[in-house]
């Protein structure tokens, strides 16, 4: 079974990601989507009034839980209209979003976490969108970040962006092969630092590592790394960008919110953050 975990907070951003997950699940004969909502009330919130001078009483908490469960069921219905064959589970937790996601991943075999990314005009719309990078940093499974303008397309071509440096340490080959073996993808490997001297040993190692997938190799010397990747993906008609947020990788900078936000905002396709 292919299981997708989709954190939602009932924003347009999160709903868009959930619907993307439902369309993505069509490609799988046995798919499960978990809609996770985290309702965390801190100790301070339970004793201090809100800005509206309301106290978070047990009755208010119970009402909020009831409303959230109803909203989850409503979203579940929408997803089943998109893919009636999928299994959709609603899951409400009383912990923080980060802890809730990691706890669920540790208790069940999750193939992919799918998160909506906030756009330029909605930076504060979704708490989950603003926490996408924190979740990506902590998640032991791949995270797919869906930009607000990324409409679902059958994934036929993917761009793997790397810098041909410290390939053995940087490329999460097990996770990469797991993704590529499940999807018939045309893989385009983009060296985004082609102006630098390329270590021939590293290049040969990468070619050998990916030989089973027959990728095409491309080179870019665009002065703006993010723009170079996005432009290349668009020109090539790719439906996915694969990023490697790991030590030594140039994509390590993606773990800093400002850079990652640029990529997910500028990208017209989802960005897969892949780690071993």
């Amino acid at each position: 079974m292919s299981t997708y975990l989709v954190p939602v907070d009932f924003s347009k951003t999160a709903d868009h990601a959930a619907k993307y997950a439902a369309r993505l699940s069509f490609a799988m004969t046995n798919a499960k989507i978990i809609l996770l909502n985290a309702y965390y009330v801190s100790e301070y919130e339970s004793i201090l009034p809100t800005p509206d001078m309301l106290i978070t009483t047990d009755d208010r908490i119970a009402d909020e839980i009831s409303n959230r469960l109803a909203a989850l069921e409503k979203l579940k219905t929408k997803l089943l209209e998109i893919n009636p064959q999928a299994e959709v589970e609603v899951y409400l937790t009383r912990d923080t979003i980060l802890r809730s996601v990691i706890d669920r991943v540790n208790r069940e075999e999750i193939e992919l976490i799918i998160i909506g990314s906030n756009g330029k005009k909605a930076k504060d719309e979704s708490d989950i969108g603003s926490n996408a990078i924190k979740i990506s940093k902590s998640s032991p499974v791949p995270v797919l970040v869906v930009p607000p303008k990324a409409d679902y397309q059958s994934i036929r071509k993917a761009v793997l962006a790397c810098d041909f440096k410290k390939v053995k340490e940087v490329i999460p080959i097990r996770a990469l092969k797991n993704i590529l073996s499940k999807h018939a993808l045309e893989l385009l490997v983009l060296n985004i630092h082609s102006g630098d001297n390329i270590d021939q040993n590293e290049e040969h190692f990468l070619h050998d590592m990916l030989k089973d997938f027959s990728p095409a190799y491309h080179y870019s010397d665009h002065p703006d790394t993010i723009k170079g990747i996005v432009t290349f993906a668009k020109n090539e008609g790719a439906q996915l960008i694969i990023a490697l947020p790991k030590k030594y990788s140039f994509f390590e900078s993606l773990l800093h919110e400002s850079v990652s936000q640029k990529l997910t905002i500028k990208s017209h396709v989802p960005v897969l953050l892949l780690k071993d």
Side-chain angles (χ1 to χ4, degrees):
M1 173 175 284
S2 296
T3 302
Y4 305 142
L5 178 63
V6 187
V8 296
D9 55 8
F10 314 117
S11 63
K12 291 181 179 179
T13 295
D15 281 9
H16 178 64
K19 291 174 182 176
Y20 186 97
R23 294 185 175 94
L24 181 64
S25 69
F26 264 122
M28 302 299 169
T29 55
N30 192 10
K32 178 180 178 181
I33 300 171
I34 303 170
L35 297 174
L36 181 153
N37 177 250
Y39 175 42
Y40 176 67
V41 179
S42 69
E43 292 184 20
Y44 294 104
E45 289 177 283
S46 64
I47 60 176
L48 296 176
T50 68
D52 298 327
M53 301 305 294
L54 298 174
I55 299 294
T56 307
T57 63
D58 289 342
D59 287 342
R60 289 187 184 279
I61 290 175
D63 287 343
E64 181 65 19
I65 289 174
S66 178
N67 291 337
R68 287 175 181 243
L69 287 172
L72 283 169
E73 290 293 341
K74 184 177 180 179
L75 182 55
K76 173 182 176 178
T77 299
K78 291 180 180 179
L79 300 195
L80 289 174
E81 290 174 355
I82 296 173
N83 184 5
Q85 304 303 316
E87 177 186 345
V88 182
E89 175 189 340
V90 299
Y91 181 53
L92 177 67
T93 81
R94 294 296 310 282
D95 219 327
T96 63
I97 179 61
L98 181 58
R99 184 171 295 178
S100 298
V101 168
I102 301 306
D103 176 67
R104 188 60 192 250
V105 169
N106 288 335
R107 290 194 293 108
E108 184 172 354
E109 188 174 347
I110 305 293
E111 180 175 314
L112 191 65
I113 298 172
I114 301 178
I115 299 176
S117 167
N118 287 337
K120 290 181 179 179
K121 297 181 180 179
K123 289 182 179 178
D124 299 319
E125 181 199 359
S126 169
D127 287 338
I128 291 174
S130 62
N131 279 286
I133 301 307
K134 290 181 181 178
I135 294 173
S136 300
K137 288 171 66 176
S138 303
S139 170
V141 301
V143 175
L144 185 69
V145 182
V146 182
K149 293 183 179 181
D151 293 326
Y152 176 77
Q153 302 177 62
S154 177
I155 301 176
R156 304 177 305 278
K157 186 182 294 187
V159 173
L160 172 64
C162 59
D163 57 9
F164 287 29
K165 294 179 179 178
K166 297 184 181 291
V167 169
K168 294 180 182 180
E169 295 95 332
V170 170
I171 304 293
I173 190 60
R174 181 180 59 182
L176 182 59
K177 285 186 174 181
N178 183 50
I179 291 292
L180 296 177
S181 63
K182 291 185 177 182
H183 304 274
L185 297 178
E186 179 183 348
L187 183 63
L188 308 179
V189 179
L190 178 65
N191 177 13
I192 51 78
H193 286 164
S194 60
D196 298 341
N197 292 326
I198 298 175
D199 187 322
Q200 297 298 321
N201 290 330
E202 294 291 328
E203 185 175 20
H204 290 321
F205 185 84
L206 181 61
H207 280 251
D208 185 64
M209 182 187 293
L210 300 176
K211 63 183 180 181
D212 292 341
F213 305 102
S214 303
Y217 290 86
H218 299 264
Y219 302 85
S220 170
D221 55 4
H222 199 291
D224 184 327
T225 297
I226 301 299
K227 189 173 182 179
I229 295 168
V230 172
T231 299
F232 175 80
K234 186 173 184 178
N235 291 341
E236 293 292 332
Q239 295 82 35
L240 180 69
I241 295 173
I242 301 175
L244 309 173
K246 193 171 180 179
K247 191 176 181 181
Y248 303 127
S249 169
F250 82 95
F251 257 116
E252 185 182 14
S253 60
L254 280 175
L255 298 183
H256 299 290
E257 186 174 355
S258 60
V259 179
S260 63
Q261 193 173 40
K262 288 180 183 178
L263 180 63
T264 54
I265 288 174
K266 291 184 178 180
S267 178
H268 61 294
V269 297
V271 178
L272 180 65
L273 300 177
L274 198 61
K275 299 182 293 182
D276 268 334

